[in-house]
Amino acid sequence: MAEEKRKYDAVVFGASGVTGQYVVEELALHNTGINWCVAGRNLEKLQETLRDIGSSISKDLSDINILIADVNNDSSLDSMCTSTKLVLNCVGPYRFFGEKLVQHCIKNKTHHIDVSGEPQFLETIQVKYFDEAKAQNVYIIGACGFDSIPCDVGIEVLRKKFGGDLHSVETYLKAKLPAGSTVNFGTWQSAIYGLAHSDELKPLRKELKEKIFTKGLPKPDYHLKKRPLLFKSKEAKGWCIPFIGSDRSVVLRTQMYNYQFKNERPVQVQTYMKTYSLFYALVTLLMGGIFMLMTKFVMGRYILERFPEIFSLGVFSRTPPVKEKASGGSFEFIFKAKGWSEKLLDPSDKHAGSPNKAVSAVLKGPDPGYITTAICIVSAAVVVLFERDHLPKKGGVFTPGAAFSDTSLMEKLEAR
């Protein structure tokens, strides 16, 4: 089916879920001319979602069409994909529910973006489907939420504006979560099973280098060293620990893409997060160690899923997050960049001395878990639909930085 003849520009798949509801609201308020609809398994829940969101924003959404689609029903996925140019996939954990929809999107020449923060899923999709998506000229772009557009695209913007050769970036995340706010249980599940199967990553990354990123990265003369597990940062003005989200793994794949396909100098990166206090940092590290150990055993995973509030110190809950709580959240990304004021012609050329230029940048936004995620994926959808000439020339499976480096995505985010 020709893309331009499809009934919808975009479909929100999983619209009645926690993340999906925020995406629906963002589209309803800021859709910039997109013809969209919603999709999911349960008609009544989807109808209720549209009623509730319409009531909360004082807007009639009764004219938004509903599609019934289920990851366990191939024909329903085909029907959804052939009706739209783009699917915004909000159904996680993606380890369990993501790959089949990607397959159907590629088969039906439908673009696909998601908000996954699961490295195994993201890298599996790139390894298995990069060539197939390229052949179909379909754009499959993962990590289009808070994981990992602010960090990944932010570093791309910084690289372009650096005024020389960017060598390395340290990022510091400062997140503010209002008292009593929680994060969706699905995200907790993703973390549990991601760590439980972390041994999958090494062979995946080996395969990525063998099949896609065949140019070995040049060995830098100056390495960006990892900081200790716990340290006090002048930049973040507080105690920091490593950020264990997917940002660094996503950025590294962007750098491999840039070097392989655009002949650009790769940037080294380390990611950290600021904690509320030294005591909180110590407790977080302790609980993180317990969490990692428990994910390695069936009984441990069962207990973690059964009691998320206890083992996450109240951050995650089986009870859906309260919207009013999320609206009071915010985040701040600090980028500490180093490099050289001179830009060399070839990325493998060596500079005569150590990095001689430093730049800092700050990116701020609302609640990272849901509000920023919805803004990110909707903005990404607008770019995929209306800025095709600025995306990579052919389709494929991309990180946000690789896909959106030459687009207006960051300007759209800043405008919101």
Side-chain angles (χ1 to χ4, degrees):
M1 181 182 291
E3 181 183 307
E4 62 272 11
K5 294 182 179 179
R6 299 198 176 184
K7 185 174 182 179
Y8 306 106
D9 294 322
V11 171
V12 181
F13 181 54
S16 62
V18 176
T19 301
Q21 291 180 42
Y22 282 89
V23 175
V24 168
E25 180 171 324
E26 178 68 16
L27 268 171
L29 291 171
H30 307 282
N31 68 44
T32 62
I34 295 176
N35 177 26
W36 61 282
C37 69
V38 298
R41 293 181 301 173
N42 189 304
L43 176 62
E44 291 182 358
K45 286 185 178 180
L46 292 166
Q47 291 172 331
E48 182 182 1
T49 293
L50 292 175
R51 284 196 303 269
D52 290 348
I53 292 173
S55 176
S56 70
I57 64 175
S58 301
K59 194 169 184 177
D60 182 12
L61 300 182
S62 60
D63 60 339
I64 301 298
N65 287 342
I66 295 174
L67 304 180
I68 301 303
D70 187 337
V71 292
N72 295 314
N73 185 320
D74 289 350
S75 63
S76 72
L77 294 182
D78 280 334
S79 179
M80 177 179 69
C81 290
T82 54
S83 71
T84 185
K85 299 176 184 177
L86 171 68
V87 173
L88 287 71
N89 185 2
C90 301
V91 179
Y94 292 89
R95 160 181 286 275
F96 303 132
F97 306 116
E99 185 172 355
K100 182 176 282 190
L101 179 54
V102 170
Q103 292 172 340
H104 283 267
C105 282
I106 294 172
K107 180 178 77 171
N108 293 289
K109 297 185 178 181
T110 304
H111 309 302
H112 174 283
I113 57 179
D114 63 51
V115 293
S116 174
E118 304 167 41
Q120 291 99 326
F121 169 78
L122 295 167
E123 295 175 33
T124 295
I125 296 301
Q126 190 163 42
V127 164
K128 293 177 70 171
Y129 300 105
F130 183 88
D131 290 336
E132 190 176 342
K134 184 177 181 180
Q136 292 281 70
N137 201 23
V138 169
Y139 293 91
I140 307 295
I141 310 169
C144 289
F146 181 74
D147 294 329
S148 292
I149 279 181
C151 184
D152 193 25
V153 179
I155 289 175
E156 282 298 285
V157 172
L158 191 57
R159 179 179 60 78
K160 291 188 171 187
K161 294 184 176 182
F162 189 73
D165 273 335
L166 180 59
H167 165 264
S168 61
V169 179
E170 290 181 318
T171 67
Y172 297 86
L173 170 62
K174 299 164 68 175
K176 175 189 173 185
L177 299 177
S181 63
T182 59
V183 180
N184 180 28
F185 177 70
T187 305
W188 178 250
Q189 278 187 308
S190 297
I192 291 171
Y193 288 96
L195 283 170
H197 300 278
S198 59
D199 57 344
E200 297 172 353
L201 286 171
K202 188 174 180 179
L204 267 175
R205 289 166 181 173
K206 183 175 183 290
E207 194 173 357
L208 272 171
K209 293 176 182 178
E210 291 172 347
K211 293 181 63 175
I212 302 172
F213 306 122
T214 56
K215 285 174 62 177
L217 296 181
K219 293 184 179 180
D221 288 336
Y222 304 94
H223 289 274
L224 177 62
K225 294 181 179 180
K226 290 183 181 179
R227 294 185 181 270
L229 278 177
L230 177 61
F231 64 98
K232 197 166 189 179
S233 165
K234 292 181 181 179
E235 289 75 21
K237 297 180 181 178
W239 290 97
C240 295
I241 59 176
F243 179 56
I244 61 171
S246 61
D247 283 354
R248 185 171 184 272
S249 65
V250 171
V251 172
L252 289 177
R253 286 189 294 124
T254 297
Q255 302 312 310
M256 289 191 287
Y257 177 89
N258 287 345
Y259 186 65
Q260 176 81 28
F261 297 103
K262 300 168 75 173
N263 199 38
E264 292 177 349
R265 185 179 297 272
V267 178
Q268 299 177 62
V269 65
Q270 295 292 346
T271 57
Y272 305 101
M273 66 178 295
K274 180 190 174 186
T275 61
Y276 296 116
S277 65
L278 175 59
F279 174 76
Y280 194 87
L282 291 170
V283 173
T284 301
L285 289 172
L286 175 62
M287 295 303 291
I290 295 171
F291 177 85
M292 292 178 69
L293 180 63
M294 292 179 69
T295 63
K296 302 302 179 183
F297 304 96
V298 173
M299 181 56 71
R301 293 193 291 272
Y302 170 80
I303 294 171
L304 289 172
E305 289 188 273
R306 184 73 178 81
F307 304 105
E309 294 88 352
I310 295 174
F311 292 96
S312 69
L313 303 177
V315 174
F316 294 89
S317 174
R318 283 182 170 272
T319 304
V322 178
K323 187 175 180 181
E324 290 72 19
K325 295 284 187 180
S327 63
S330 63
F331 77 90
E332 181 177 310
F333 254 119
I334 300 171
F335 299 85
K336 179 186 175 184
K338 290 184 178 181
W340 294 271
S341 55
E342 179 187 8
K343 189 172 183 65
L344 301 182
L345 186 61
D346 191 272
S348 61
D349 290 343
K350 304 288 187 180
H351 285 271
S354 59
N356 58 16
K357 182 177 181 179
V359 171
S360 293
V362 178
L363 178 64
K364 298 180 180 180
D367 163 68
Y370 300 107
I371 298 176
T372 291
T373 286
I375 293 171
C376 284
I377 193 172
V378 170
S379 299
V382 172
V383 169
V384 171
L385 290 168
F386 300 119
E387 295 188 31
R388 194 72 53 81
D389 291 344
H390 298 286
L391 297 175
K393 291 183 179 179
K394 295 287 288 183
V397 180
F398 302 101
T399 61
F404 301 126
S405 178
D406 299 320
T407 71
S408 67
L409 178 60
M410 189 54 73
E411 287 84 352
K412 284 180 168 52
L413 295 177
E414 290 173 345
R416 281 287 290 109

